Amino acid sequence: MAEIVILESSEEASALAAQRILHHIRAKPGHNLGVATGATPLSLYRQMASYAREYGIRIDGVTAFALDEYLGLAPGSPHSFHHALLEHFVKVMGLDPARLRVPNGVAGASGEVGAEFEQEIRGAGGIDCQILGIGSNGHIGFNEPGSSLASRTRVTMLAEETRRDNSSHFSCLKDVPRYSISQGIGTILEARHLVLLAFGSRKARAVAAALEGPVTASCPGSAIQLHPSVTVFLDRDSSRSLSGLDYYTQSWQNQPESPSWRFAR
Ligand code: GLP
C-alpha cells in the first residue's frame, strides 16, 4: 500500500514532500528526477530549494525529466511546459538549465519523439524519483482516461475536461493545445520511487478513485497502486472522499517513530 500523508494545508504537505524527495536526492546525488508541471508542485519546488540550502544538500547533480509537453508549442513559448519548468523548477532550484530534459513538442506528431525521450531516460539510467500531480479526471502526465496502463511516451489527445482545467493559463479555451507528448503510464511505473501530490476539493474524487478504486485505465492515477514505492501527499480537502481517511490520518499521526526521511528543524 502507498504511504499516504495527509496534512491540514497544501503548504505543510509540500514541506514534507520536499523532505521525502531530498532524502532520495541525498542518497544519490546524480539523481534523475521526474518533474511535473501545473499549480500543485509550485510550493514543493520552492520548499525543496529552501531545505536543500538549509541542510547543505547538493542538488547540482540532479537531472530533471519532464513528464509531458504540449504538442506544437516551441520551448520558448510562455505556455510551454519547458518554459514553466525553467521558471518554477530550474530557476528556483538554481540548476543549470542544460540539466532539464523535455520532450520536443515542436517535432510534430511523429512516433519518434516519444521513442527518443524514452531512449534519453534509459541512457541516463532511468528515473529515480518521479513527482506526479493528478488531473481532476484522474489523469497522470497527460495520460487521459482510457490510456493503456502499459503505455510508453507518445502523442496523446487531451480530454476536454483537461483543456478546460488548463485554460486559465491561456487567453482562451481555443488556444489550449489538443495534443501532448506524455510519458506513458508504463514509463512512469518504471521510476524507482513515485511521489504524488494532490490538493484542493477539486481533486477529491480523483484521489479516492486513484488510491482506493480498482486499478483501471478509466482512472490512470490508479496505476500507482501497482508500484512498490509510492508516497502520496494530500491536504484536508483533497482527502475528503477517501473511505479510509481516519485510518490513514491516525497511522500517520500515531506511528511509533518519525519516518527516516523527515528532517528535524
Ligand atoms: C496537467 C499536467 C499534469 C498535472 C495535472 C494537474 O495538465 N499534464 O502533469 O499533474 O494537469 O495540474 P494542476 O497541478 O495544475 O492541478
mmCIF file with all atom_site columns, all heavy atoms in Angstrom, residues 36-41 67-68 70 81 132-136 139-142 162 165-166 169 197 199 202-203, ligand 1:
data_model
loop_
_atom_site.group_PDB
_atom_site.id
_atom_site.type_symbol
_atom_site.label_atom_id
_atom_site.label_alt_id
_atom_site.label_comp_id
_atom_site.label_asym_id
_atom_site.label_entity_id
_atom_site.label_seq_id
_atom_site.pdbx_PDB_ins_code
_atom_site.Cartn_x
_atom_site.Cartn_y
_atom_site.Cartn_z
_atom_site.occupancy
_atom_site.B_iso_or_equiv
_atom_site.pdbx_formal_charge
_atom_site.auth_seq_id
_atom_site.auth_comp_id
_atom_site.auth_asym_id
_atom_site.auth_atom_id
_atom_site.pdbx_PDB_model_num
ATOM   1   N N   . ALA A 1 36  ? 6.925   17.347 -12.621 1.00 0.00 ? 36  ALA A N   1
ATOM   2   C CA  . ALA A 1 36  ? 5.580   17.637 -13.135 1.00 0.00 ? 36  ALA A CA  1
ATOM   3   C C   . ALA A 1 36  ? 5.378   19.149 -13.207 1.00 0.00 ? 36  ALA A C   1
ATOM   4   O O   . ALA A 1 36  ? 6.045   19.906 -12.496 1.00 0.00 ? 36  ALA A O   1
ATOM   5   C CB  . ALA A 1 36  ? 4.537   17.025 -12.201 1.00 0.00 ? 36  ALA A CB  1
ATOM   6   N N   . THR A 1 37  ? 4.461   19.552 -14.059 1.00 0.00 ? 37  THR A N   1
ATOM   7   C CA  . THR A 1 37  ? 4.082   20.972 -14.133 1.00 0.00 ? 37  THR A CA  1
ATOM   8   C C   . THR A 1 37  ? 2.729   21.145 -13.432 1.00 0.00 ? 37  THR A C   1
ATOM   9   O O   . THR A 1 37  ? 2.269   20.252 -12.737 1.00 0.00 ? 37  THR A O   1
ATOM   10  C CB  . THR A 1 37  ? 3.969   21.424 -15.597 1.00 0.00 ? 37  THR A CB  1
ATOM   11  O OG1 . THR A 1 37  ? 3.217   20.433 -16.285 1.00 0.00 ? 37  THR A OG1 1
ATOM   12  C CG2 . THR A 1 37  ? 5.324   21.600 -16.224 1.00 0.00 ? 37  THR A CG2 1
ATOM   13  N N   . GLY A 1 38  ? 2.100   22.276 -13.644 1.00 0.00 ? 38  GLY A N   1
ATOM   14  C CA  . GLY A 1 38  ? 0.812   22.541 -13.011 1.00 0.00 ? 38  GLY A CA  1
ATOM   15  C C   . GLY A 1 38  ? 1.019   23.322 -11.728 1.00 0.00 ? 38  GLY A C   1
ATOM   16  O O   . GLY A 1 38  ? 2.151   23.587 -11.305 1.00 0.00 ? 38  GLY A O   1
ATOM   17  N N   . ALA A 1 39  ? -0.088  23.687 -11.094 1.00 0.00 ? 39  ALA A N   1
ATOM   18  C CA  . ALA A 1 39  ? -0.023  24.507 -9.890  1.00 0.00 ? 39  ALA A CA  1
ATOM   19  C C   . ALA A 1 39  ? 0.436   23.692 -8.682  1.00 0.00 ? 39  ALA A C   1
ATOM   20  O O   . ALA A 1 39  ? 1.092   24.212 -7.768  1.00 0.00 ? 39  ALA A O   1
ATOM   21  C CB  . ALA A 1 39  ? -1.405  25.107 -9.615  1.00 0.00 ? 39  ALA A CB  1
ATOM   22  N N   . THR A 1 40  ? 0.114   22.407 -8.683  1.00 0.00 ? 40  THR A N   1
ATOM   23  C CA  . THR A 1 40  ? 0.335   21.586 -7.483  1.00 0.00 ? 40  THR A CA  1
ATOM   24  C C   . THR A 1 40  ? 1.773   21.598 -6.960  1.00 0.00 ? 40  THR A C   1
ATOM   25  O O   . THR A 1 40  ? 1.976   21.791 -5.759  1.00 0.00 ? 40  THR A O   1
ATOM   26  C CB  . THR A 1 40  ? -0.143  20.140 -7.755  1.00 0.00 ? 40  THR A CB  1
ATOM   27  O OG1 . THR A 1 40  ? -1.492  20.203 -8.197  1.00 0.00 ? 40  THR A OG1 1
ATOM   28  C CG2 . THR A 1 40  ? -0.037  19.273 -6.512  1.00 0.00 ? 40  THR A CG2 1
ATOM   29  N N   . PRO A 1 41  ? 2.807   21.387 -7.813  1.00 0.00 ? 41  PRO A N   1
ATOM   30  C CA  . PRO A 1 41  ? 4.149   21.271 -7.224  1.00 0.00 ? 41  PRO A CA  1
ATOM   31  C C   . PRO A 1 41  ? 4.894   22.599 -7.024  1.00 0.00 ? 41  PRO A C   1
ATOM   32  O O   . PRO A 1 41  ? 6.076   22.575 -6.671  1.00 0.00 ? 41  PRO A O   1
ATOM   33  C CB  . PRO A 1 41  ? 4.889   20.384 -8.236  1.00 0.00 ? 41  PRO A CB  1
ATOM   34  C CG  . PRO A 1 41  ? 4.205   20.601 -9.533  1.00 0.00 ? 41  PRO A CG  1
ATOM   35  C CD  . PRO A 1 41  ? 2.805   21.077 -9.252  1.00 0.00 ? 41  PRO A CD  1
ATOM   36  N N   . LEU A 1 67  ? 7.542   15.337 -17.382 1.00 0.00 ? 67  LEU A N   1
ATOM   37  C CA  . LEU A 1 67  ? 6.522   14.298 -17.599 1.00 0.00 ? 67  LEU A CA  1
ATOM   38  C C   . LEU A 1 67  ? 5.900   14.420 -18.978 1.00 0.00 ? 67  LEU A C   1
ATOM   39  O O   . LEU A 1 67  ? 5.537   13.433 -19.598 1.00 0.00 ? 67  LEU A O   1
ATOM   40  C CB  . LEU A 1 67  ? 5.385   14.543 -16.608 1.00 0.00 ? 67  LEU A CB  1
ATOM   41  C CG  . LEU A 1 67  ? 5.145   13.653 -15.430 1.00 0.00 ? 67  LEU A CG  1
ATOM   42  C CD1 . LEU A 1 67  ? 3.878   14.088 -14.723 1.00 0.00 ? 67  LEU A CD1 1
ATOM   43  C CD2 . LEU A 1 67  ? 5.067   12.190 -15.828 1.00 0.00 ? 67  LEU A CD2 1
ATOM   44  N N   . ASP A 1 68  ? 5.714   15.667 -19.411 1.00 0.00 ? 68  ASP A N   1
ATOM   45  C CA  . ASP A 1 68  ? 4.936   15.869 -20.632 1.00 0.00 ? 68  ASP A CA  1
ATOM   46  C C   . ASP A 1 68  ? 5.170   17.266 -21.197 1.00 0.00 ? 68  ASP A C   1
ATOM   47  O O   . ASP A 1 68  ? 5.796   18.120 -20.549 1.00 0.00 ? 68  ASP A O   1
ATOM   48  C CB  . ASP A 1 68  ? 3.434   15.648 -20.363 1.00 0.00 ? 68  ASP A CB  1
ATOM   49  C CG  . ASP A 1 68  ? 2.946   16.341 -19.095 1.00 0.00 ? 68  ASP A CG  1
ATOM   50  O OD1 . ASP A 1 68  ? 3.634   17.258 -18.602 1.00 0.00 ? 68  ASP A OD1 1
ATOM   51  O OD2 . ASP A 1 68  ? 1.867   15.986 -18.596 1.00 0.00 ? 68  ASP A OD2 1
ATOM   52  N N   . TYR A 1 70  ? 3.135   20.124 -24.207 1.00 0.00 ? 70  TYR A N   1
ATOM   53  C CA  . TYR A 1 70  ? 2.109   20.338 -25.228 1.00 0.00 ? 70  TYR A CA  1
ATOM   54  C C   . TYR A 1 70  ? 2.725   20.134 -26.602 1.00 0.00 ? 70  TYR A C   1
ATOM   55  O O   . TYR A 1 70  ? 3.879   20.521 -26.835 1.00 0.00 ? 70  TYR A O   1
ATOM   56  C CB  . TYR A 1 70  ? 1.577   21.767 -25.160 1.00 0.00 ? 70  TYR A CB  1
ATOM   57  C CG  . TYR A 1 70  ? 0.689   22.040 -23.974 1.00 0.00 ? 70  TYR A CG  1
ATOM   58  C CD1 . TYR A 1 70  ? 1.054   22.990 -23.020 1.00 0.00 ? 70  TYR A CD1 1
ATOM   59  C CD2 . TYR A 1 70  ? -0.528  21.375 -23.825 1.00 0.00 ? 70  TYR A CD2 1
ATOM   60  C CE1 . TYR A 1 70  ? 0.227   23.266 -21.940 1.00 0.00 ? 70  TYR A CE1 1
ATOM   61  C CE2 . TYR A 1 70  ? -1.354  21.652 -22.740 1.00 0.00 ? 70  TYR A CE2 1
ATOM   62  C CZ  . TYR A 1 70  ? -0.967  22.591 -21.806 1.00 0.00 ? 70  TYR A CZ  1
ATOM   63  O OH  . TYR A 1 70  ? -1.784  22.857 -20.742 1.00 0.00 ? 70  TYR A OH  1
ATOM   64  N N   . PHE A 1 81  ? 5.416   23.744 -21.299 1.00 0.00 ? 81  PHE A N   1
ATOM   65  C CA  . PHE A 1 81  ? 5.834   23.190 -20.010 1.00 0.00 ? 81  PHE A CA  1
ATOM   66  C C   . PHE A 1 81  ? 7.349   23.374 -19.842 1.00 0.00 ? 81  PHE A C   1
ATOM   67  O O   . PHE A 1 81  ? 7.843   23.472 -18.724 1.00 0.00 ? 81  PHE A O   1
ATOM   68  C CB  . PHE A 1 81  ? 5.455   21.712 -19.912 1.00 0.00 ? 81  PHE A CB  1
ATOM   69  C CG  . PHE A 1 81  ? 3.987   21.480 -19.631 1.00 0.00 ? 81  PHE A CG  1
ATOM   70  C CD1 . PHE A 1 81  ? 3.439   20.206 -19.703 1.00 0.00 ? 81  PHE A CD1 1
ATOM   71  C CD2 . PHE A 1 81  ? 3.151   22.529 -19.276 1.00 0.00 ? 81  PHE A CD2 1
ATOM   72  C CE1 . PHE A 1 81  ? 2.096   19.980 -19.432 1.00 0.00 ? 81  PHE A CE1 1
ATOM   73  C CE2 . PHE A 1 81  ? 1.801   22.318 -19.000 1.00 0.00 ? 81  PHE A CE2 1
ATOM   74  C CZ  . PHE A 1 81  ? 1.278   21.034 -19.081 1.00 0.00 ? 81  PHE A CZ  1
ATOM   75  N N   . LEU A 1 132 ? 4.515   13.469 -9.269  1.00 0.00 ? 132 LEU A N   1
ATOM   76  C CA  . LEU A 1 132 ? 3.264   13.428 -10.031 1.00 0.00 ? 132 LEU A CA  1
ATOM   77  C C   . LEU A 1 132 ? 2.211   14.324 -9.396  1.00 0.00 ? 132 LEU A C   1
ATOM   78  O O   . LEU A 1 132 ? 2.098   14.381 -8.162  1.00 0.00 ? 132 LEU A O   1
ATOM   79  C CB  . LEU A 1 132 ? 2.682   12.011 -10.034 1.00 0.00 ? 132 LEU A CB  1
ATOM   80  C CG  . LEU A 1 132 ? 3.448   10.911 -10.752 1.00 0.00 ? 132 LEU A CG  1
ATOM   81  C CD1 . LEU A 1 132 ? 2.833   9.551  -10.415 1.00 0.00 ? 132 LEU A CD1 1
ATOM   82  C CD2 . LEU A 1 132 ? 3.436   11.142 -12.264 1.00 0.00 ? 132 LEU A CD2 1
ATOM   83  N N   . GLY A 1 133 ? 1.437   15.003 -10.239 1.00 0.00 ? 133 GLY A N   1
ATOM   84  C CA  . GLY A 1 133 ? 0.169   15.574 -9.803  1.00 0.00 ? 133 GLY A CA  1
ATOM   85  C C   . GLY A 1 133 ? -0.911  14.657 -10.349 1.00 0.00 ? 133 GLY A C   1
ATOM   86  O O   . GLY A 1 133 ? -0.618  13.589 -10.898 1.00 0.00 ? 133 GLY A O   1
ATOM   87  N N   . ILE A 1 134 ? -2.151  15.076 -10.231 1.00 0.00 ? 134 ILE A N   1
ATOM   88  C CA  . ILE A 1 134 ? -3.241  14.284 -10.813 1.00 0.00 ? 134 ILE A CA  1
ATOM   89  C C   . ILE A 1 134 ? -4.305  15.244 -11.343 1.00 0.00 ? 134 ILE A C   1
ATOM   90  O O   . ILE A 1 134 ? -4.574  16.280 -10.715 1.00 0.00 ? 134 ILE A O   1
ATOM   91  C CB  . ILE A 1 134 ? -3.819  13.263 -9.778  1.00 0.00 ? 134 ILE A CB  1
ATOM   92  C CG1 . ILE A 1 134 ? -4.804  12.296 -10.446 1.00 0.00 ? 134 ILE A CG1 1
ATOM   93  C CG2 . ILE A 1 134 ? -4.447  13.965 -8.578  1.00 0.00 ? 134 ILE A CG2 1
ATOM   94  C CD1 . ILE A 1 134 ? -5.122  11.061 -9.590  1.00 0.00 ? 134 ILE A CD1 1
ATOM   95  N N   . GLY A 1 135 ? -4.853  14.923 -12.487 1.00 0.00 ? 135 GLY A N   1
ATOM   96  C CA  . GLY A 1 135 ? -5.904  15.771 -13.045 1.00 0.00 ? 135 GLY A CA  1
ATOM   97  C C   . GLY A 1 135 ? -7.243  15.485 -12.362 1.00 0.00 ? 135 GLY A C   1
ATOM   98  O O   . GLY A 1 135 ? -7.408  14.441 -11.719 1.00 0.00 ? 135 GLY A O   1
ATOM   99  N N   . SER A 1 136 ? -8.190  16.394 -12.516 1.00 0.00 ? 136 SER A N   1
ATOM   100 C CA  . SER A 1 136 ? -9.491  16.187 -11.860 1.00 0.00 ? 136 SER A CA  1
ATOM   101 C C   . SER A 1 136 ? -10.215 14.976 -12.442 1.00 0.00 ? 136 SER A C   1
ATOM   102 O O   . SER A 1 136 ? -11.116 14.423 -11.824 1.00 0.00 ? 136 SER A O   1
ATOM   103 C CB  . SER A 1 136 ? -10.359 17.452 -11.969 1.00 0.00 ? 136 SER A CB  1
ATOM   104 O OG  . SER A 1 136 ? -10.499 17.815 -13.320 1.00 0.00 ? 136 SER A OG  1
ATOM   105 N N   . HIS A 1 139 ? -6.194  11.855 -14.595 1.00 0.00 ? 139 HIS A N   1
ATOM   106 C CA  . HIS A 1 139 ? -5.021  11.664 -15.467 1.00 0.00 ? 139 HIS A CA  1
ATOM   107 C C   . HIS A 1 139 ? -3.718  11.886 -14.707 1.00 0.00 ? 139 HIS A C   1
ATOM   108 O O   . HIS A 1 139 ? -3.664  12.651 -13.748 1.00 0.00 ? 139 HIS A O   1
ATOM   109 C CB  . HIS A 1 139 ? -5.103  12.550 -16.728 1.00 0.00 ? 139 HIS A CB  1
ATOM   110 C CG  . HIS A 1 139 ? -4.824  14.006 -16.541 1.00 0.00 ? 139 HIS A CG  1
ATOM   111 N ND1 . HIS A 1 139 ? -5.707  14.987 -16.880 1.00 0.00 ? 139 HIS A ND1 1
ATOM   112 C CD2 . HIS A 1 139 ? -3.738  14.673 -16.064 1.00 0.00 ? 139 HIS A CD2 1
ATOM   113 C CE1 . HIS A 1 139 ? -5.184  16.176 -16.638 1.00 0.00 ? 139 HIS A CE1 1
ATOM   114 N NE2 . HIS A 1 139 ? -3.986  16.008 -16.134 1.00 0.00 ? 139 HIS A NE2 1
ATOM   115 N N   . ILE A 1 140 ? -2.674  11.172 -15.136 1.00 0.00 ? 140 ILE A N   1
ATOM   116 C CA  . ILE A 1 140 ? -1.313  11.457 -14.666 1.00 0.00 ? 140 ILE A CA  1
ATOM   117 C C   . ILE A 1 140 ? -0.467  11.729 -15.907 1.00 0.00 ? 140 ILE A C   1
ATOM   118 O O   . ILE A 1 140 ? -0.644  11.079 -16.931 1.00 0.00 ? 140 ILE A O   1
ATOM   119 C CB  . ILE A 1 140 ? -0.705  10.335 -13.789 1.00 0.00 ? 140 ILE A CB  1
ATOM   120 C CG1 . ILE A 1 140 ? -0.849  8.953  -14.426 1.00 0.00 ? 140 ILE A CG1 1
ATOM   121 C CG2 . ILE A 1 140 ? -1.293  10.346 -12.403 1.00 0.00 ? 140 ILE A CG2 1
ATOM   122 C CD1 . ILE A 1 140 ? -0.116  7.832  -13.678 1.00 0.00 ? 140 ILE A CD1 1
ATOM   123 N N   . GLY A 1 141 ? 0.475   12.681 -15.799 1.00 0.00 ? 141 GLY A N   1
ATOM   124 C CA  . GLY A 1 141 ? 1.105   13.194 -17.022 1.00 0.00 ? 141 GLY A CA  1
ATOM   125 C C   . GLY A 1 141 ? -0.040  13.712 -17.876 1.00 0.00 ? 141 GLY A C   1
ATOM   126 O O   . GLY A 1 141 ? -0.949  14.383 -17.381 1.00 0.00 ? 141 GLY A O   1
ATOM   127 N N   . PHE A 1 142 ? -0.029  13.367 -19.159 1.00 0.00 ? 142 PHE A N   1
ATOM   128 C CA  . PHE A 1 142 ? -1.218  13.633 -19.978 1.00 0.00 ? 142 PHE A CA  1
ATOM   129 C C   . PHE A 1 142 ? -1.797  12.306 -20.448 1.00 0.00 ? 142 PHE A C   1
ATOM   130 O O   . PHE A 1 142 ? -2.268  12.179 -21.569 1.00 0.00 ? 142 PHE A O   1
ATOM   131 C CB  . PHE A 1 142 ? -0.882  14.539 -21.164 1.00 0.00 ? 142 PHE A CB  1
ATOM   132 C CG  . PHE A 1 142 ? -1.065  16.011 -20.882 1.00 0.00 ? 142 PHE A CG  1
ATOM   133 C CD1 . PHE A 1 142 ? -0.110  16.937 -21.276 1.00 0.00 ? 142 PHE A CD1 1
ATOM   134 C CD2 . PHE A 1 142 ? -2.205  16.488 -20.237 1.00 0.00 ? 142 PHE A CD2 1
ATOM   135 C CE1 . PHE A 1 142 ? -0.273  18.293 -21.029 1.00 0.00 ? 142 PHE A CE1 1
ATOM   136 C CE2 . PHE A 1 142 ? -2.369  17.846 -19.986 1.00 0.00 ? 142 PHE A CE2 1
ATOM   137 C CZ  . PHE A 1 142 ? -1.407  18.751 -20.379 1.00 0.00 ? 142 PHE A CZ  1
ATOM   138 N N   . THR A 1 162 ? -9.659  18.341 -19.258 1.00 0.00 ? 162 THR A N   1
ATOM   139 C CA  . THR A 1 162 ? -8.274  18.768 -19.015 1.00 0.00 ? 162 THR A CA  1
ATOM   140 C C   . THR A 1 162 ? -8.007  20.103 -19.698 1.00 0.00 ? 162 THR A C   1
ATOM   141 O O   . THR A 1 162 ? -7.382  20.998 -19.124 1.00 0.00 ? 162 THR A O   1
ATOM   142 C CB  . THR A 1 162 ? -7.301  17.690 -19.556 1.00 0.00 ? 162 THR A CB  1
ATOM   143 O OG1 . THR A 1 162 ? -7.594  16.463 -18.910 1.00 0.00 ? 162 THR A OG1 1
ATOM   144 C CG2 . THR A 1 162 ? -5.861  18.074 -19.321 1.00 0.00 ? 162 THR A CG2 1
ATOM   145 N N   . ASP A 1 165 ? -9.632  22.716 -17.622 1.00 0.00 ? 165 ASP A N   1
ATOM   146 C CA  . ASP A 1 165 ? -8.867  22.925 -16.377 1.00 0.00 ? 165 ASP A CA  1
ATOM   147 C C   . ASP A 1 165 ? -7.617  23.766 -16.635 1.00 0.00 ? 165 ASP A C   1
ATOM   148 O O   . ASP A 1 165 ? -7.212  24.569 -15.800 1.00 0.00 ? 165 ASP A O   1
ATOM   149 C CB  . ASP A 1 165 ? -8.415  21.584 -15.783 1.00 0.00 ? 165 ASP A CB  1
ATOM   150 C CG  . ASP A 1 165 ? -9.544  20.849 -15.065 1.00 0.00 ? 165 ASP A CG  1
ATOM   151 O OD1 . ASP A 1 165 ? -10.620 21.440 -14.895 1.00 0.00 ? 165 ASP A OD1 1
ATOM   152 O OD2 . ASP A 1 165 ? -9.340  19.674 -14.691 1.00 0.00 ? 165 ASP A OD2 1
ATOM   153 N N   . ASN A 1 166 ? -6.973  23.546 -17.789 1.00 0.00 ? 166 ASN A N   1
ATOM   154 C CA  . ASN A 1 166 ? -5.705  24.229 -18.071 1.00 0.00 ? 166 ASN A CA  1
ATOM   155 C C   . ASN A 1 166 ? -5.890  25.549 -18.808 1.00 0.00 ? 166 ASN A C   1
ATOM   156 O O   . ASN A 1 166 ? -4.911  26.247 -19.071 1.00 0.00 ? 166 ASN A O   1
ATOM   157 C CB  . ASN A 1 166 ? -4.782  23.305 -18.891 1.00 0.00 ? 166 ASN A CB  1
ATOM   158 C CG  . ASN A 1 166 ? -4.260  22.148 -18.042 1.00 0.00 ? 166 ASN A CG  1
ATOM   159 O OD1 . ASN A 1 166 ? -4.666  21.981 -16.911 1.00 0.00 ? 166 ASN A OD1 1
ATOM   160 N ND2 . ASN A 1 166 ? -3.369  21.356 -18.589 1.00 0.00 ? 166 ASN A ND2 1
ATOM   161 N N   . HIS A 1 169 ? -4.368  29.185 -18.022 1.00 0.00 ? 169 HIS A N   1
ATOM   162 C CA  . HIS A 1 169 ? -3.000  29.577 -18.386 1.00 0.00 ? 169 HIS A CA  1
ATOM   163 C C   . HIS A 1 169 ? -2.939  30.166 -19.796 1.00 0.00 ? 169 HIS A C   1
ATOM   164 O O   . HIS A 1 169 ? -1.881  30.604 -20.238 1.00 0.00 ? 169 HIS A O   1
ATOM   165 C CB  . HIS A 1 169 ? -2.050  28.372 -18.318 1.00 0.00 ? 169 HIS A CB  1
ATOM   166 C CG  . HIS A 1 169 ? -2.038  27.717 -16.974 1.00 0.00 ? 169 HIS A CG  1
ATOM   167 N ND1 . HIS A 1 169 ? -1.453  28.302 -15.877 1.00 0.00 ? 169 HIS A ND1 1
ATOM   168 C CD2 . HIS A 1 169 ? -2.565  26.550 -16.528 1.00 0.00 ? 169 HIS A CD2 1
ATOM   169 C CE1 . HIS A 1 169 ? -1.607  27.509 -14.835 1.00 0.00 ? 169 HIS A CE1 1
ATOM   170 N NE2 . HIS A 1 169 ? -2.282  26.450 -15.202 1.00 0.00 ? 169 HIS A NE2 1
ATOM   171 N N   . LEU A 1 197 ? 1.294   14.265 -5.433  1.00 0.00 ? 197 LEU A N   1
ATOM   172 C CA  . LEU A 1 197 ? 0.692   15.321 -4.604  1.00 0.00 ? 197 LEU A CA  1
ATOM   173 C C   . LEU A 1 197 ? -0.659  15.704 -5.197  1.00 0.00 ? 197 LEU A C   1
ATOM   174 O O   . LEU A 1 197 ? -0.799  15.773 -6.429  1.00 0.00 ? 197 LEU A O   1
ATOM   175 C CB  . LEU A 1 197 ? 1.571   16.575 -4.590  1.00 0.00 ? 197 LEU A CB  1
ATOM   176 C CG  . LEU A 1 197 ? 2.970   16.462 -4.002  1.00 0.00 ? 197 LEU A CG  1
ATOM   177 C CD1 . LEU A 1 197 ? 3.978   16.086 -5.077  1.00 0.00 ? 197 LEU A CD1 1
ATOM   178 C CD2 . LEU A 1 197 ? 3.390   17.766 -3.368  1.00 0.00 ? 197 LEU A CD2 1
ATOM   179 N N   . PHE A 1 199 ? -3.965  18.525 -4.142  1.00 0.00 ? 199 PHE A N   1
ATOM   180 C CA  . PHE A 1 199 ? -4.503  19.494 -3.184  1.00 0.00 ? 199 PHE A CA  1
ATOM   181 C C   . PHE A 1 199 ? -5.843  20.053 -3.668  1.00 0.00 ? 199 PHE A C   1
ATOM   182 O O   . PHE A 1 199 ? -6.032  20.279 -4.862  1.00 0.00 ? 199 PHE A O   1
ATOM   183 C CB  . PHE A 1 199 ? -3.519  20.654 -2.999  1.00 0.00 ? 199 PHE A CB  1
ATOM   184 C CG  . PHE A 1 199 ? -2.131  20.211 -2.608  1.00 0.00 ? 199 PHE A CG  1
ATOM   185 C CD1 . PHE A 1 199 ? -1.008  20.733 -3.239  1.00 0.00 ? 199 PHE A CD1 1
ATOM   186 C CD2 . PHE A 1 199 ? -1.942  19.265 -1.600  1.00 0.00 ? 199 PHE A CD2 1
ATOM   187 C CE1 . PHE A 1 199 ? 0.271   20.315 -2.884  1.00 0.00 ? 199 PHE A CE1 1
ATOM   188 C CE2 . PHE A 1 199 ? -0.671  18.844 -1.240  1.00 0.00 ? 199 PHE A CE2 1
ATOM   189 C CZ  . PHE A 1 199 ? 0.438   19.369 -1.889  1.00 0.00 ? 199 PHE A CZ  1
ATOM   190 N N   . ARG A 1 202 ? -11.290 19.980 -5.553  1.00 0.00 ? 202 ARG A N   1
ATOM   191 C CA  . ARG A 1 202 ? -11.471 19.615 -6.961  1.00 0.00 ? 202 ARG A CA  1
ATOM   192 C C   . ARG A 1 202 ? -10.803 18.269 -7.285  1.00 0.00 ? 202 ARG A C   1
ATOM   193 O O   . ARG A 1 202 ? -11.143 17.609 -8.255  1.00 0.00 ? 202 ARG A O   1
ATOM   194 C CB  . ARG A 1 202 ? -10.844 20.729 -7.817  1.00 0.00 ? 202 ARG A CB  1
ATOM   195 C CG  . ARG A 1 202 ? -11.466 20.993 -9.150  1.00 0.00 ? 202 ARG A CG  1
ATOM   196 C CD  . ARG A 1 202 ? -10.926 22.297 -9.741  1.00 0.00 ? 202 ARG A CD  1
ATOM   197 N NE  . ARG A 1 202 ? -9.471  22.364 -9.734  1.00 0.00 ? 202 ARG A NE  1
ATOM   198 C CZ  . ARG A 1 202 ? -8.681  21.792 -10.655 1.00 0.00 ? 202 ARG A CZ  1
ATOM   199 N NH1 . ARG A 1 202 ? -9.195  21.129 -11.657 1.00 0.00 ? 202 ARG A NH1 1
ATOM   200 N NH2 . ARG A 1 202 ? -7.374  21.914 -10.572 1.00 0.00 ? 202 ARG A NH2 1
ATOM   201 N N   . LYS A 1 203 ? -9.845  17.872 -6.461  1.00 0.00 ? 203 LYS A N   1
ATOM   202 C CA  . LYS A 1 203 ? -9.115  16.625 -6.717  1.00 0.00 ? 203 LYS A CA  1
ATOM   203 C C   . LYS A 1 203 ? -9.646  15.447 -5.892  1.00 0.00 ? 203 LYS A C   1
ATOM   204 O O   . LYS A 1 203 ? -9.160  14.324 -6.050  1.00 0.00 ? 203 LYS A O   1
ATOM   205 C CB  . LYS A 1 203 ? -7.621  16.811 -6.412  1.00 0.00 ? 203 LYS A CB  1
ATOM   206 C CG  . LYS A 1 203 ? -6.934  17.904 -7.216  1.00 0.00 ? 203 LYS A CG  1
ATOM   207 C CD  . LYS A 1 203 ? -6.792  17.506 -8.668  1.00 0.00 ? 203 LYS A CD  1
ATOM   208 C CE  . LYS A 1 203 ? -6.238  18.604 -9.539  1.00 0.00 ? 203 LYS A CE  1
ATOM   209 N NZ  . LYS A 1 203 ? -4.823  18.859 -9.339  1.00 0.00 ? 203 LYS A NZ  1
HETATM 210 C C1  . GLP B 2 .   ? -1.662  18.800 -16.092 1.00 0.00 ? 1   GLP B C1  1
HETATM 211 C C2  . GLP B 2 .   ? -0.383  18.019 -16.271 1.00 0.00 ? 1   GLP B C2  1
HETATM 212 C C3  . GLP B 2 .   ? -0.159  17.074 -15.138 1.00 0.00 ? 1   GLP B C3  1
HETATM 213 C C4  . GLP B 2 .   ? -0.589  17.753 -13.843 1.00 0.00 ? 1   GLP B C4  1
HETATM 214 C C5  . GLP B 2 .   ? -2.072  17.932 -13.845 1.00 0.00 ? 1   GLP B C5  1
HETATM 215 C C6  . GLP B 2 .   ? -2.625  18.682 -12.637 1.00 0.00 ? 1   GLP B C6  1
HETATM 216 O O1  . GLP B 2 .   ? -2.297  19.215 -17.160 1.00 0.00 ? 1   GLP B O1  1
HETATM 217 N N1  . GLP B 2 .   ? -0.225  17.358 -17.511 1.00 0.00 ? 1   GLP B N1  1
HETATM 218 O O2  . GLP B 2 .   ? 1.173   16.646 -15.109 1.00 0.00 ? 1   GLP B O2  1
HETATM 219 O O3  . GLP B 2 .   ? -0.218  16.948 -12.746 1.00 0.00 ? 1   GLP B O3  1
HETATM 220 O O4  . GLP B 2 .   ? -2.528  18.501 -15.040 1.00 0.00 ? 1   GLP B O4  1
HETATM 221 O O5  . GLP B 2 .   ? -2.403  20.057 -12.742 1.00 0.00 ? 1   GLP B O5  1
HETATM 222 P P1  . GLP B 2 .   ? -2.575  21.054 -11.503 1.00 0.00 ? 1   GLP B P1  1
HETATM 223 O O6  . GLP B 2 .   ? -1.472  20.737 -10.572 1.00 0.00 ? 1   GLP B O6  1
HETATM 224 O O7  . GLP B 2 .   ? -2.451  22.437 -12.092 1.00 0.00 ? 1   GLP B O7  1
HETATM 225 O O8  . GLP B 2 .   ? -3.910  20.791 -10.917 1.00 0.00 ? 1   GLP B O8  1
#
